Amino acid sequence: MFNKILTRARTMSPWVLHFDCGSCNGCDIEVLACLTPVYDVERFGMINVGNPMHADVFLVTGTVNHRNKKVLRNLYDQIPDPKVVVAIGACGLTGGIFREAYNVVGGVDKIIPVDVYVPGCPAKPEAIIDGVVLGLEKLKK
Amino acid sequence: MFEMTPTIMRNFIGKRATRRYPYVVRPAFENARGVIYNDIRSCTFCGVCAAKCPSQCITVDKKAATWSCNPSACVYCGVCAESCLSGSLQQKCDYRKPVQEKEVIFLRGEINNNHNIPMAMKNE
Amino acid sequence: MTTSQGIIMILAGLASGPLLGGLIAGLDRILTARFQSRIGPPLLQPFYDVIKLFGKEKMVVNVWQAFCANAYMTAASISVVLFFLRSDLLLILFIQAVGAVFLVVGAFSSTSPYSQAGAHRELLQILCYEPLLIFVVVGIYLLTGSFKIESVYAWNQPVLLKLPFMFVVLSFVLTIKLRKSPFDLSTSHHAHQELVKGLLTDYSGSFLALTEIAHWYETVLVLGLCSLFWTTNPVGAILLVGLTYFLEIWIDNVSARLNWRWMLGYGWAMGVSLSLVNLVWLYAR
Amino acid sequence: MSKTIIPFGPQHPVLPEPVHLKLTLEDEVITEAIPAFGFVHRGLEKLAEIRDFHQMIYVVERICGICSMIHAMCYCQGIEELMGIEVPPRARFLRVIWSELHRIHSHLLWLGLFADSFGFESLFMQCWKIREKILDIDEATTGNRIIISVCVIGGMRKDISPEHVNWILSELKDVEREIKRLETTIMTDYTVMKRTVGKGVLTGKQAYELGLVGPTLRASGIAQDMRMLGYAAFNEINFEPVVETDGDCYARCKVRFRETLQSIDLIRQAIAKLPEGELAVKAKGRPEGEVISRVEQPRGEVFYYIKANGKKNLERLRVRTPTFANVPALLAMLPGMWLSDVPVIVLSIDPCISCTER
Amino acid sequence: MIEHVVSISLENVVGETAKMKVEGYRFVTLSCVEIDETTVDILYHFDKDFQLKHLRLTAPKDSPVPSISPVYFAAFLVENEIQDLFGIRFQGLAIDYDRTLYLEEEVKKTPFCKYVVIKTKPPL
């Protein structure tokens, strides 16, 4: 019984932490656009907390490079369980158009385990909402 | 002070700006740049798309008659579809859905035989 | 008050925080969303948040912090229970202040600079609103001749009519206490703040949930204080509290965050002068 | 109180982008601020060696998602100059329209973030709500919301149809009305003024010597706007740079606010004069030589140095983006300020870190 | 095409830029291009009333270039960038990131030079 309530609460209240891991701002502002009136993800209880210790869903946009991979790892470790990682945009998935550049390590999944991949360049807000919803499936288990 | 009042009062009384997305889906604009779709039966495996792709996510093997694309590296610029000589490559207006596993689109066709085996192969 | 009545009141006080406070928080979020042309979260959203937080992995920075979160929660709930028991106003205020200080101590005990700076600002906030609250209580005392809430209820006409300026001062305190713009200095409901979550940065999981519930208790307490200004009939009290809260949300939405210098200067200047005017006016009549 | 060091970023909600500012504080007053970069560095200029010069358009577009089209336009203008291509007039006017649309959406985005930096959440929401209309125009005309990929060497890929023209004009009218409603809030609201007036003052001389560009420089009273060079079709439409003289955050806010309205006017002019004709000329041959191309981005002057040697790939592509030039302003403005003013000052130069580091 | 180019040498870099400052030019940026195994080309761009003027310095890779950041403070950022990407050392930088502006310590190669330069601290 309690578990059922807890699961429901978890899916109803995904607090997101957004980390721009070297994206071009495209996906970034689309993530922010999700919070604004036209998409308003607060309908689903999503709020941007900006503090890893409070977050449940980790939205990562952009390529990983040698400097920010440590930050990424660090942030990931600070998020308490249960957590969901959503990689956003072509850059977050594989490195996108930049994956052959010298300072690019590749997609987010090279550093931390990723649960949901949201393709697009930039990913549309609709796709980002879909992605978070898909990620919440993991919490139901 | 409080200069914002008329605006927020208008918001309070007026219609919400929110699109109730998952419940109400707005149709995509007709020339929105979404997923790349290859009609493998008419593909001639000329390789122009692979050469033009700025993200280098398309590989074409003429001998084996295969066409593959890594949609997670695709930047949806639409250059491949524009430059396709046979018109087999098209860009649809729907965006690609999020997935839990990365996939690679791998299509095999035979140039003279109208016969294709589209299949999605998992990456690594 | 009989013993059975007392027990009912204690239970009501204990329940009011998590239930009433949560509902108020939910309503607050919906109203804010409406002001911003959004739909906003469901009414029960704060409850989901808190339940979820209890289910999160425990990450304790240090033992102090766990203790402080609990102490804050206990103090806040005791002050509300005392309020429901119609006890001494001064006692209620001091217990509430002790709780608030525990929250700050917990934040100071961590090493995060955001948390430290947030705690620093919270102390300044406490410094700003506590004297004003005392003024309000003193005003009530001068009017009714007692610090007991009982005596306010015994008063035959709404206190608001005698202490209108005091009510303005109290709503000023309310803005600080509810962490609303322009005074969301130490921590803020939304993330876009220079101190991230400020004071609450290092509280996480169930401890954050505890501070959240404690905050609800405090909301109930401060709104309860507001309701004391209209005790003659419950409809009047609810209307007054509702209106004040609506006003708070409105101010939250039409103003930017200011810094603590402004808060201290403006708060004390305005609070003290308004209180004095009111007290002098009381005497003069 | 002894000195505290606050690490501002790389993950910080006020700055959506990863830049690290090491702030040394005494009480709440900043004594030193040193920025650290490298969190977004991808090495994009080097990609010119493996992508050919046509493909590079789409790469430079992704230097920055906010002013992407203007990057592509600047790059294309450089290559066109090298190859001696004359761009058809319709394409030049279309470039003006889309680049000004980008300016509006970037400025509105900035206004929102700026409002958020001083804790004015509803103003943030309002600005972003208006901005969605511009994004809809982008999506309807080009197919993508932000990175619109319309420029090619020799012209444009997409066209604006006559039905779209009318729709754009009516949408712009809405946008203009909504923005004008915010005017009193941004220009006269007590709390906004309290947080912005007199914060981060740069005199004209200081700003010029630091090599600042764009609205940051114009707010200090120097009328320097690359659109005065008359690239694309800016020489055929009326254009006056917006200048303010105070040089503080408030002045920078005013400049950007007025530019937003000005851009709407520029689009109207460009639409009124939009000539018929072909969209693009075919780019034949390979570029050779050195060229410098400059255009005005929402954040200021962007500077491209292109060196080509007649091969498919460029020999060197160097991009100096506006924020790169504006970063020294931060070092000059931050010391002596309050911690609570840091977000306001940092955002007042409209930092775009992915531009800066490429 | 580039006009108004003045060639300068290592000795008079600072002198020439100081002259530009006196004439009222605004510092735009530096561009660095690798020419061959031993030399790079550094272009100093200045702007005045929308007219660009350039100083071209052909510098050897191994000897440090005098920094112009004491003259134009804004130059420190781009000089640090060149230090990172090309391995050229600048002497007298206002703020020296010691080649960690963009790249991490563990990156040992200078990405823009085809001929790898392992960097050392400049002689003091």
Side-chain angles (χ1 to χ4, degrees):
Chain A
M1 177 64 192
F2 182 71
N3 269 340
K4 216 170 164 187
I5 296 174
L6 188 62
T7 313
R8 175 149 173 80
R10 274 179 185 156
T11 50
M12 289 298 282
S13 147
W15 287 4
V16 300
L17 171 72
H18 166 222
F19 178 50
D20 172 349
C21 185
S23 88
C24 72
N25 281 344
C27 301
D28 242 8
I29 48 182
E30 293 292 47
V31 170
L32 272 180
C34 285
L35 303 169
T36 54
V38 176
Y39 293 96
D40 185 31
V41 289
E42 210 187 344
R43 284 178 294 151
F44 315 111
M46 267 189 243
I47 40 174
N48 184 6
V49 284
N51 177 3
M53 309 253 298
H54 298 173
D56 307 300
V57 180
F58 191 22
L59 301 180
V60 192
T61 56
T63 59
V64 179
N65 71 19
H66 291 290
R67 181 160 289 179
N68 65 26
K69 69 184 180 195
K70 293 160 198 161
V71 184
L72 181 65
R73 183 82 233 177
N74 193 357
L75 283 172
Y76 177 77
D77 290 340
Q78 277 186 51
I79 300 175
D81 281 327
K83 54 192 164 190
V84 176
V85 180
V86 181
I88 294 170
C91 299
L93 266 58
T94 58
I97 199 163
F98 306 118
R99 65 190 185 285
E100 283 135 326
Y102 59 84
N103 205 25
V104 172
V105 177
V108 175
D109 50 359
K110 292 222 170 137
I111 309 294
I112 55 174
V114 174
D115 299 309
V116 177
Y117 298 91
V118 184
C121 185
K124 292 181 77 164
E126 283 97 342
I128 294 171
I129 295 174
D130 285 349
V132 175
V133 170
L134 193 63
L136 292 177
E137 300 284 317
K138 183 194 167 192
L139 292 183
K140 283 186 187 155
K141 281 167 199 159
Chain B
M1 218 169 181
F2 310 140
E3 260 78 4
M4 191 76 183
T5 312
T7 315
I8 62 163
M9 283 305 161
R10 197 172 283 118
N11 287 341
F12 189 68
I13 298 159
K15 204 167 147 266
R16 313 271 164 267
T18 310
R19 297 174 192 149
R20 296 167 192 257
Y21 163 62
Y23 314 113
V24 184
V25 181
R26 194 171 64 141
F29 288 103
E30 52 190 76
N31 60 354
R33 297 204 304 265
V35 291
I36 299 292
Y37 170 77
N38 192 4
D39 183 12
I40 198 74
R41 280 164 297 186
S42 51
C43 182
T44 55
F45 303 100
C46 60
V48 172
C49 48
K52 290 235 170 168
C53 175
S55 183
Q56 310 266 288
C57 67
I58 302 176
T59 40
V60 179
D61 190 338
K62 189 154 189 169
K63 279 197 191 126
T66 59
W67 183 93
S68 80
C69 169
N70 182 359
S72 39
C74 175
V75 294
Y76 305 93
C77 59
V79 169
C80 49
E82 249 172 46
S83 61
C84 183
L85 298 174
S86 63
S88 73
L89 205 54
Q90 289 153 11
Q91 187 160 31
K92 304 271 177 193
C93 56
D94 316 307
Y95 61 92
R96 185 167 281 279
K97 296 277 184 226
V99 285
Q100 282 179 328
E101 299 277 346
K102 278 197 271 189
E103 331 174 300
V104 172
I105 300 171
F106 185 81
L107 300 171
R108 179 176 289 133
E110 276 166 50
I111 301 167
N112 298 323
N113 193 349
N114 289 350
H115 170 73
N116 69 327
I117 317 156
M119 57 191 224
M121 273 188 17
K122 274 178 192 167
N123 194 18
E124 280 128 47
Chain C
M1 207 181 278
T2 60
T3 328
S4 58
Q5 260 180 325
I7 290 171
I8 289 171
M9 274 318 201
I10 290 174
L11 288 179
L14 278 178
S16 72
L19 292 179
L20 195 61
L23 280 178
I24 291 173
L27 205 65
D28 180 351
R29 284 174 71 173
I30 291 179
L31 274 178
T32 307
R34 292 285 147 94
F35 276 136
Q36 293 165 351
S37 194
R38 295 187 284 131
I39 289 174
L43 183 64
L44 297 181
Q45 188 59 44
F47 298 106
Y48 294 129
D49 289 349
V50 164
I51 293 171
K52 176 208 70 179
L53 282 173
F54 275 119
K56 291 285 275 187
E57 180 194 6
K58 280 194 175 59
M59 276 188 171
V60 195
V61 181
N62 54 34
V63 190
W64 252 110
Q65 201 161 50
F67 172 71
C68 287
N70 283 309
Y72 175 46
M73 164 77 186
T74 317
S77 54
I78 289 176
S79 61
V80 170
V81 167
L82 285 178
F83 184 85
F84 271 71
L85 288 175
R86 301 192 175 177
S87 166
D88 196 317
L89 271 173
L90 274 181
L91 182 67
I92 292 170
L93 282 193
F94 277 101
I95 288 178
Q96 180 273 121
V98 166
V101 169
F102 265 113
L103 179 69
V104 175
V105 170
F108 263 126
S109 73
S110 84
T111 48
S112 155
Y114 294 127
S115 175
Q116 297 262 336
H120 205 249
R121 288 184 184 182
E122 177 74 11
L123 275 183
L124 286 162
Q125 286 192 352
I126 293 175
L127 212 65
C128 179
Y129 72 75
E130 284 299 336
L132 300 184
L133 269 181
I134 304 274
F135 269 120
V136 172
V137 173
V138 167
I140 290 173
Y141 167 76
L142 286 177
L143 189 71
T144 61
S146 162
F147 280 115
K148 287 264 182 194
I149 296 176
E150 200 74 59
S151 61
V152 180
Y153 278 96
W155 193 253
N156 53 4
Q157 71 185 113
V159 180
L160 183 65
L161 302 180
K162 294 281 179 189
L163 298 169
F165 294 119
M166 283 299 187
F167 190 75
V168 177
V169 176
L170 186 66
S171 51
F172 192 82
V173 173
L174 194 63
T175 323
I176 302 178
K177 210 60 223 165
L178 292 175
R179 308 195 196 292
K180 294 268 182 214
S181 218
F183 303 117
D184 46 352
L185 303 169
S186 65
T187 179
S188 159
H189 287 301
H190 33 94
H192 293 252
Q193 220 240 25
E194 67 265 25
L195 292 179
V196 193
K197 266 289 189 185
L199 189 66
L200 300 176
T201 306
D202 269 357
Y203 288 100
S204 68
S206 49
F207 303 112
L208 184 69
L210 282 181
T211 55
E212 189 67 34
I213 294 175
H215 183 69
W216 294 349
Y217 272 120
E218 287 199 331
T219 312
V220 170
L221 178 68
V222 195
L223 289 177
L225 282 182
C226 281
S227 75
L228 287 187
F229 280 74
W230 202 288
T231 44
T232 45
N233 95 35
V235 179
I238 290 171
L239 263 180
L240 182 68
V241 170
L243 219 84
T244 320
Y245 203 78
F246 188 80
L247 218 67
E248 291 301 332
I249 300 171
W250 168 66
I251 287 178
D252 182 34
N253 273 297
V254 295
S255 60
R257 182 185 308 120
L258 294 161
N259 51 26
W260 64 259
R261 271 190 180 178
W262 188 90
M263 176 185 73
L264 272 187
Y266 194 79
W268 279 357
M270 194 208 77
V272 172
S273 53
L274 277 181
S275 313
L276 282 180
V277 165
N278 210 153
L279 294 183
V280 168
W281 183 55
L282 263 186
Y283 263 113
R285 280 163 54 111
Chain D
M1 201 168 135
S2 62
K3 281 185 180 175
T4 25
I5 293 176
I6 287 208
F8 203 72
Q11 188 274 325
H12 196 283
V14 168
L15 299 166
E17 291 180 81
V19 62
H20 181 87
L21 277 175
K22 206 169 111 190
L23 302 173
T24 314
L25 300 181
E26 264 177 58
D27 286 327
E28 276 207 16
V29 180
I30 294 152
T31 51
E32 199 182 20
I34 297 192
F37 298 98
F39 297 99
V40 204
H41 183 60
R42 291 155 290 192
L44 190 147
E45 292 170 3
K46 184 81 174 166
L47 276 179
E49 284 171 20
I50 43 174
R51 305 267 198 265
D52 72 31
F53 68 96
H54 286 292
Q55 289 171 343
M56 274 313 279
I57 303 169
Y58 305 99
V59 178
V60 296
E61 232 178 4
R62 284 162 179 81
I63 288 178
C64 169
I66 305 173
C67 32
S68 61
M69 184 267 162
I70 309 183
H71 270 292
M73 178 168 82
C74 185
Y75 173 81
C76 289
Q77 279 175 6
I79 299 280
E80 280 151 11
E81 198 182 329
L82 276 183
M83 295 167 73
I85 296 172
E86 191 70 32
V87 182
R90 187 173 175 88
R92 288 194 288 122
F93 275 88
L94 286 176
R95 281 182 184 181
V96 168
I97 292 170
W98 270 312
S99 70
E100 291 308 307
L101 278 174
H102 260 69
R103 197 179 311 278
I104 298 172
H105 113 72
S106 169
H107 278 346
L108 282 174
L109 176 137
W110 175 84
L111 270 173
L113 287 180
F114 188 62
D116 217 19
S117 75
F118 49 72
F120 206 147
E121 207 199 2
S122 53
L123 183 55
F124 161 73
M125 293 290 183
Q126 196 67 24
C127 289
W128 282 61
K129 183 183 134 194
I130 304 170
R131 182 177 159 269
E132 285 291 327
K133 283 208 164 80
I134 304 289
L135 294 184
D136 274 353
I137 296 178
D138 274 354
E139 194 176 2
T141 51
T142 68
N144 215 350
R145 278 161 58 90
I146 289 168
I147 298 181
I148 60 175
S149 306
V150 284
C151 284
V152 286
I153 292 160
M156 300 302 261
R157 268 171 75 191
K158 299 269 160 95
D159 198 1
I160 296 182
S161 64
E163 306 91 70
H164 274 147
V165 164
N166 291 329
W167 175 67
I168 290 174
L169 285 175
S170 74
E171 285 283 281
L172 281 179
K173 209 175 197 172
D174 278 3
V175 171
E176 190 179 23
R177 198 178 58 229
E178 297 248 341
I179 294 175
K180 279 196 171 149
R181 272 186 197 146
L182 292 181
E183 186 167 1
T184 50
T185 310
I186 294 165
M187 301 286 183
T188 56
D189 189 83
Y190 174 78
T191 50
V192 175
M193 303 260 289
K194 194 88 191 158
R195 289 303 299 274
T196 53
V197 174
K199 300 282 157 67
V201 182
L202 284 177
T203 59
K205 187 166 173 288
Q206 256 182 320
Y208 192 77
E209 279 181 2
L210 284 169
L212 307 188
V213 291
T216 321
L217 182 59
R218 290 199 284 280
S220 295
I222 293 168
Q224 195 236 39
D225 192 318
M226 288 304 134
R227 284 176 282 181
M228 284 155 84
L229 284 173
Y231 63 85
F234 280 107
N235 49 357
E236 290 168 47
I237 51 185
N238 289 327
F239 170 73
E240 276 288 315
V242 177
V243 180
E244 290 284 335
T245 48
D246 297 340
D248 55 1
C249 292
Y250 181 60
R252 291 192 266 274
C253 183
K254 256 164 125 176
V255 166
R256 294 203 173 91
F257 184 79
R258 284 173 52 198
E259 273 187 13
T260 318
L261 292 174
Q262 185 199 36
S263 291
I264 294 177
D265 180 51
L266 289 178
I267 295 173
R268 287 203 185 119
Q269 284 189 43
I271 283 181
K273 288 185 183 169
L274 189 65
E276 292 297 320
E278 55 179 346
L279 275 179
V281 291
K282 197 111 179 88
K284 287 196 189 89
R286 300 269 162 84
E288 187 163 12
E290 282 177 298
V291 78
I292 280 163
S293 171
R294 295 195 289 172
V295 301
E296 182 76 10
Q297 270 189 351
R299 289 163 184 72
E301 165 208 37
V302 64
F303 177 100
Y304 271 64
Y305 166 81
I306 301 166
K307 189 174 180 185
N309 47 10
K311 290 200 191 113
K312 204 172 77 178
N313 300 330
L314 302 173
E315 188 177 342
R316 176 88 168 101
L317 172 70
R318 158 106 180 94
V319 186
R320 201 294 318 263
T321 51
T323 312
F324 196 86
N326 281 338
V327 164
L330 281 186
L331 284 125
M333 287 190 289
L334 282 174
M337 282 300 167
W338 281 62
L339 177 63
S340 52
D341 296 331
V342 172
V344 180
I345 291 170
V346 171
L347 275 167
S348 77
I349 66 160
D350 199 354
C352 176
I353 308 302
S354 63
C355 271
T356 314
E357 300 175 12
R358 306 172 299 281
Chain E
M1 302 305 127
I2 296 190
E3 291 157 353
H4 312 293
V5 188
V6 181
S7 281
I8 51 168
S9 65
L10 270 182
E11 291 81 48
N12 60 3
V13 171
V14 180
E16 287 287 327
T17 44
K19 219 184 277 171
M20 301 298 275
K21 187 165 185 174
V22 172
E23 284 171 32
Y25 276 89
R26 183 175 64 89
F27 172 75
V28 179
T29 193
L30 307 185
S31 302
C32 190
V33 187
E34 186 185 35
I35 296 181
D36 55 31
E37 257 170 83
T38 51
T39 49
V40 290
D41 215 6
I42 303 179
L43 276 160
Y44 293 72
H45 308 284
F46 298 93
D47 165 278
K48 187 184 176 184
D49 301 330
F50 302 103
Q51 275 295 317
L52 282 169
K53 199 172 171 187
H54 318 273
L55 305 178
R56 188 187 290 271
L57 169 73
T58 308
K61 275 180 190 169
D62 40 11
S63 67
V65 179
S67 164
I68 61 160
S69 56
V71 185
Y72 284 102
F73 174 69
F76 83 93
L77 209 54
V78 61
E79 286 180 343
N80 272 303
E81 183 187 310
I82 292 176
Q83 204 164 267
D84 267 32
L85 304 183
F86 288 86
I88 313 289
R89 277 287 171 181
F90 281 85
Q91 223 164 23
L93 270 170
I95 299 172
D96 193 349
Y97 286 88
D98 193 22
R99 86 163 207 92
T100 53
L101 180 70
Y102 287 163
L103 302 178
E104 277 295 83
E105 291 286 342
E106 69 230 34
V107 183
K108 286 277 178 260
K109 286 180 185 173
T110 52
F112 274 82
C113 284
K114 288 175 198 105
Y115 316 101
V116 175
V117 181
I118 307 288
K119 275 173 274 182
T120 49
K121 272 264 182 195
L124 292 168

